[in-house]
Amino acid sequence: MDRLLDPSFVLGHMNYWLFVVLMMTGLYIVVARGNLLKKIVGLNIFQAAVFMLYISAGKVRGGTAPILTDNPGEAYSNPLPHVLILTAIVVGIATTALGLALTTRINEVYGTIEEDEILEIDHQETEREVAAILATSAQDSANA
Amino acid sequence: MKYHLILRVVTRLLVGPILLYGLYVQFHGDFGPGGGFQAGVIFAVAFILYGIVFGLRDLRNRFPDRVIHQLFALGVLIYAGTGFVSVFLGANFLDYNVLAEKGYEGQHLGIIAVELGVGIAVFAVMLAIYYAFAARPPRIDDKDW
Amino acid sequence: MELAITLFLFCAIVATAIAITTIRSLFAVVMLSGVISLLSALLFVLMDAVDVAFTEAAVGAGISTVLMLGTIALTSRTQKDIKRNNLIPLAVIILTGLVLIDGTLDMPSFGAPDSPAQTHVGAAYIARTADEIHIPNIVTAVLASYRGYDTLGEVTVVFTAGLGVVLLLGGMGARSRKRRQEEEG
């Protein structure tokens, strides 16, 4: 615990802690909010936190962007996390669009995008089906 | 959007430069920041802007759905095709060294082809997604926003 | 100074995210998520990831905002006020957060040049690109050549997701719309 009192340690790890807070905020929105669109925004925040973790792992103090310059002694930041995250962002928007499309279809069928109301409608539907099945089987046994 | 004169004039002015910038990002990706992913998105943004201001029907007449759907298959095909060209020339999948006499020239060719494939695929997918959302009849009227 | 700006931007992003949890107008939520994208693009520039910042600004603040606004137009504009028990999720995220923070204590400090991430394959890409590929942008070289197979997979994912949206929303267009109109009378 001594390390937590050392300012250089705290400053060097502050970014990780902020990214944990951001990630947990996203997770909280996904878990605690019932609106489907808001859940998708929450997932995006969660995703942004992961992106930041990767990019901050690639940063080199005193380094520059990984585009080669004429100066041979130049220090560059690590290009590998940049590549991974660059493609992840575009894949992220494509999957977000898929989620939004699902939300739109759910809204057309159920008339709402609130999770609790959708579960309620599903519940009523099941009860109605069970009642119908029970009624027909009672009729069958009466006929027999 | 029939009455928004300023929006229509500004859009007409902007669409050209945005497309040009998209091309610059696509083909300058080797030297500065940029590449197929960004260029595809920027290219799609120009079309989406046009669609928002002048209406989806107008855009769809000029750029029918069928063309878009063929384009996003074409993008992936260009990418994978480049890989197979190097296989047929006797190297590994996506090994561009054999595409030209000198290794690095082959690399340049391969990178340009692959980035082009990425750009076309991303552009077409983004535009197809926009079409899919915009074609649905909205539940909220323009004046309710 | 650079570290101070980085931390400031990071705090601004966290504050925006916390605001999103409480706001009920979905329009405001979407706009704030665009704000998060722009702020994180700035942050990426500060952390030397210019290509990533470029993509984030174009995708996160551009296309994703348009798509979410489109979804709002098709669904509803406000989140309904439904009473839910927030204590359990809160406990879960606090617990998870503490575990994650405990994990970060062993991480190398921010920007350390000798951390494991900098010493293996990343350094090799930086050293080899100039001789083998002859293009200045190392990110493009890694993306399209050294890890081309990886990127092919990513493009396929984008392709599949696009296909999924088109199938879900019937983007085949005029045909399905005509059919729906005929069904309705």
Side-chain angles (χ1 to χ4, degrees), chain A residues 29-39 102-122, chain B residues 139, chain C residues 23-26 29 75-84:
Chain A
I29 297 177
V30 174
V31 179
R33 295 286 177 264
N35 189 291
L36 293 181
L37 185 75
K38 216 164 173 184
K39 274 179 195 282
L102 274 173
T103 311
T104 313
R105 295 289 293 137
I106 287 175
N107 182 64
E108 281 172 9
V109 176
Y110 288 87
T112 174
I113 52 169
E114 301 290 332
E115 194 187 25
D116 302 83
E117 294 180 358
I118 292 170
L119 286 177
E120 181 70 18
I121 293 171
D122 266 351
Chain B
R139 278 179 70 184
Chain C
I23 290 177
R24 228 183 277 121
S25 157
L26 291 179
V29 166
T75 56
S76 71
R77 259 191 316 163
T78 45
Q79 175 196 343
K80 281 190 190 141
D81 192 15
I82 295 174
K83 281 272 167 289
R84 294 168 69 103

Side-chain angles (χ1 to χ4, degrees), chain B residues 5-111:
Chain B
L5 181 65
I6 294 176
L7 276 182
R8 278 188 291 142
V9 172
V10 171
T11 305
R12 270 190 206 286
L13 286 178
L14 275 181
V15 167
I18 293 177
L19 289 176
L20 196 63
Y21 185 59
L23 286 175
Y24 164 78
V25 171
Q26 170 82 48
F27 294 108
H28 203 259
D30 305 0
F31 307 101
F37 283 99
Q38 295 93 330
V41 172
I42 291 171
F43 229 72
V45 162
F47 283 83
I48 292 174
L49 177 65
Y50 186 89
I52 288 175
V53 174
F54 293 101
L56 185 65
R57 189 174 299 163
D58 195 11
L59 182 60
R60 258 193 159 151
N61 286 339
R62 284 155 206 258
F63 242 76
D65 292 35
R66 214 156 46 92
V67 176
I68 304 287
H69 296 156
Q70 282 162 352
L71 274 183
F72 65 72
L74 179 72
V76 181
L77 203 66
I78 291 179
Y79 200 127
T82 314
F84 280 111
V85 167
S86 56
V87 170
F88 290 134
L89 290 176
N92 287 327
F93 189 66
L94 290 174
D95 180 358
Y96 315 132
N97 276 338
V98 290
L99 294 181
E101 266 173 45
K102 286 188 190 134
Y104 67 85
E105 283 174 355
Q107 292 285 349
H108 286 200
L109 277 179
I111 289 176

Side-chain angles (χ1 to χ4, degrees), chain A:
Chain A
M1 281 298 117
D2 294 346
R3 287 189 294 173
L4 289 181
L5 298 176
D6 176 12
S8 71
F9 178 83
V10 171
L11 276 182
H13 286 68
M14 191 69 126
N15 65 317
Y16 295 122
W17 300 335
L18 284 170
F19 121 78
V20 169
V21 174
L22 186 61
M23 189 180 225
M24 287 306 115
T25 314
L27 185 63
Y28 179 76
I29 297 177
V30 174
V31 179
R33 295 286 177 264
N35 189 291
L36 293 181
L37 185 75
K38 216 164 173 184
K39 274 179 195 282
I40 291 179
V41 172
L43 273 179
N44 275 340
I45 293 174
F46 191 95
Q47 189 176 277
V50 176
F51 295 165
M52 282 164 202
L53 171 74
Y54 266 70
I55 299 297
S56 68
K59 166 77 180 162
V60 174
R61 216 174 290 126
T64 176
I67 294 170
L68 294 173
T69 55
D70 294 332
N71 176 8
E74 193 76 75
Y76 299 103
S77 285
N78 194 342
L80 186 55
H82 301 180
V83 173
L84 300 179
I85 297 312
L86 194 158
T87 52
I89 289 177
V90 180
V91 169
I93 176 69
T95 47
T96 300
L98 195 62
L100 291 174
L102 274 173
T103 311
T104 313
R105 295 289 293 137
I106 287 175
N107 182 64
E108 281 172 9
V109 176
Y110 288 87
T112 174
I113 52 169
E114 301 290 332
E115 194 187 25
D116 302 83
E117 294 180 358
I118 292 170
L119 286 177
E120 181 70 18
I121 293 171
D122 266 351
H123 194 64
Q124 285 170 0
E125 193 112 313
T126 326
E127 271 181 356
R128 221 174 298 133
E129 277 172 17
V130 169
I133 292 170
L134 285 180
T136 48
S137 66
Q139 219 165 23
D140 287 349
S141 56
N143 288 344

Side-chain angles (χ1 to χ4, degrees), chain C residues 88-110:
Chain C
I88 300 173
L90 208 59
V92 167
I93 65 149
I94 288 175
L95 214 70
T96 320
L98 286 177
V99 171
L100 284 176
I101 286 177
D102 184 50
T104 64
L105 294 182
D106 294 332
M107 297 280 273
S109 77
F110 178 61

Side-chain angles (χ1 to χ4, degrees), chain C residues 2 4 24 34-35 46-47 53 59 74 89 92 96 102 106 110 119 134 141 146 148-149 164 170 174 180 184:
Chain C
E2 204 182 306
R24 228 183 277 121
V35 168
L46 271 180
M47 297 198 281
V59 167
L74 295 174
V92 167
T96 320
D102 184 50
D106 294 332
F110 178 61
T119 44
H134 281 233
Y146 290 118
Y149 200 64
R180 211 173 306 137
E184 282 168 2

